[in-house]
Amino acid sequence: MEFLTERGALTEAVAWAARVLPARSPVPVLGGLLLDASDGRLRVSGLDFEASACVETEAATVRPGQVLVMGRRLLDICKVLPDGPVRCVVEGPRFTVTASGARFGLSVLPLDDYPALPPLPEVRGAVEAARFAAAVADVAVAAGRDDTLPALTGVRLVLDGSTMTLAASDRYRYAVRTLPWKAAAPDVEADVLVSARRLTEIARTLGRSGLVSVALDDGSAGFEHAGARTTVRLLDGRLPAHDTLFALADPAVAVLDRAALVEAVRRVAVVADGGSPLQLAFTDGPDGSVLLQAGYEDDVASQRLPATLEGAGGMTVAFNPVYLMDALSSIEEPTVRLSLMGAGRRAMVTPGEATPDTATHRHLLMSVKPAVL
């Protein structure tokens, strides 16, 4: 096996495939990347027990063939190679990489022990890459981190006709985002649960332009874009339904400048140690405002912002500052709407121009009991 390629293309391909490699594995070959050169193309692939990745790039093939080498070591080498052309060749039990006078040799792993790469499931349709990446980022912040509750570490992916819905919850918050997509058939329907960590990596690295093909079967999800494809095993279980949770009866509504609120939350939360709540005290009227406060005893902080409040004469609510910041940061519009039911009850965060019924991006938070400051 022998091929020639550019350092940048090789590094990008190896980095893409190496994302799925396990940090530690009882099966040594799963730490390897499979390089397959033929017909002017280089295919780099890797897998573990949960996910697989495969990407193709241009390479001048001198002698076609395959080789399996330790993936993370190859990635380390690619990162320090000089810019320019790279020659890769299998010489007996060694894979040699040379570029501009630099030369590296890697031991070859046994190909016979390497599992076959899983095929891409049935393609159900396609979605705009940038829109998909933004939607995944918006909801994944609400996914749980506790692996003893695996269903809560996932993102629910629902396909229904021309609409894709993404949702995630860790029991204390619930984020939902809907977006249009191009179904392969009018009757396409699916409701699956994908690891939030894996889906975030996939969406972030698939690219920011063009279409991402979405493929699903009973056990896995697949995504393909511009010569790169990846599969991930689906999670068992389901998230709790959000329709009832998101139905707020006659809430008080506050509308604020999003950038100003983000800065105020970031500033005041400096004294909110140990997850202590951040309190928002709203007043209504023509000169309505909100007073943000946090801290206990001598370490306190506050800031007042202009705000409009409708549906209540005044209201004080409090939130975990990290959860509130995650919700606000996932919104890009200039204003934000808070639909409030009262202290210790549900609250909805949506873009300021949209109501909870019309918003394509909704973030539900559970408020906590305001502290005595």
Side-chain angles (χ1 to χ4, degrees), residues 105-251:
L106 287 176
S107 299
V108 172
L109 300 174
L111 270 173
D112 293 341
D113 297 338
Y114 196 65
L117 199 70
L120 192 72
E122 178 187 356
V123 174
R124 304 296 186 91
V127 62
E128 290 184 12
R131 212 176 249 193
F132 180 64
V136 171
D138 288 343
V139 303
V141 293
R145 307 291 188 269
D146 185 355
D147 290 332
T148 63
L149 300 170
L152 296 182
T153 66
V155 171
R156 183 185 180 192
L157 173 61
V158 180
L159 306 178
D160 185 5
S162 61
T163 301
M164 172 186 288
T165 302
L166 302 170
S169 174
D170 61 2
R171 295 182 297 175
Y172 306 105
R173 48 186 171 163
Y174 207 136
V176 176
R177 177 76 185 267
T178 59
L179 65 159
W181 85 306
K182 299 179 180 180
D187 58 348
V188 167
E189 291 185 357
D191 189 346
V192 299
L193 198 61
V194 185
S195 163
R197 179 177 64 84
R198 296 282 190 184
L199 191 60
T200 299
E201 290 177 351
I202 291 168
R204 186 174 59 239
T205 57
L206 272 174
R208 294 288 178 174
S209 61
L211 295 176
V212 174
S213 295
V214 180
L216 295 172
D217 61 20
D218 291 338
S220 64
F223 304 89
E224 187 171 22
H225 177 269
R229 77 172 188 263
T230 185
T231 64
V232 59
R233 182 176 59 85
L234 299 178
L235 298 177
D236 295 326
R238 287 183 177 274
L239 290 183
H242 64 268
D243 294 345
T244 303
L245 289 172
F246 279 38
L248 306 182
D250 298 323

